[in-house]
Amino acid sequence: MDTLSLLGYAVCGAVLASLLACVPALHIYNVAGLVILAGARLAGVIPPGAPLAMFLLGMVTGYATLNTVPSI
């Protein structure tokens, strides 16, 4: 895996987390658990390892950024 594709996974995770953060009472850790289960089920679609980790890292970063900006 090259760096650009890993960055793409992180950006996709951040965009998805930004969209999901607008849903009331939905926390990123609930979605992360579902993503891990789906990643195990869809091993042919999402490669295991670094891409899934970068996707989850992007989700956490996007969710934290979207919730921090309104509080400031």
Side-chain angles (χ1 to χ4, degrees), residues 1-54:
M1 281 262 141
D2 60 343
T3 306
L4 192 58
S5 64
L6 291 176
L7 185 62
Y9 279 106
V11 169
C12 288
V15 169
L16 180 66
S18 298
L19 294 174
L20 291 176
C22 297
V23 177
L26 185 64
H27 197 272
I28 194 65
Y29 295 141
N30 297 336
V31 177
L34 294 174
V35 168
I36 290 172
L37 289 175
R41 183 82 171 155
L42 302 171
V45 178
I46 301 172
L52 185 60
M54 290 301 289

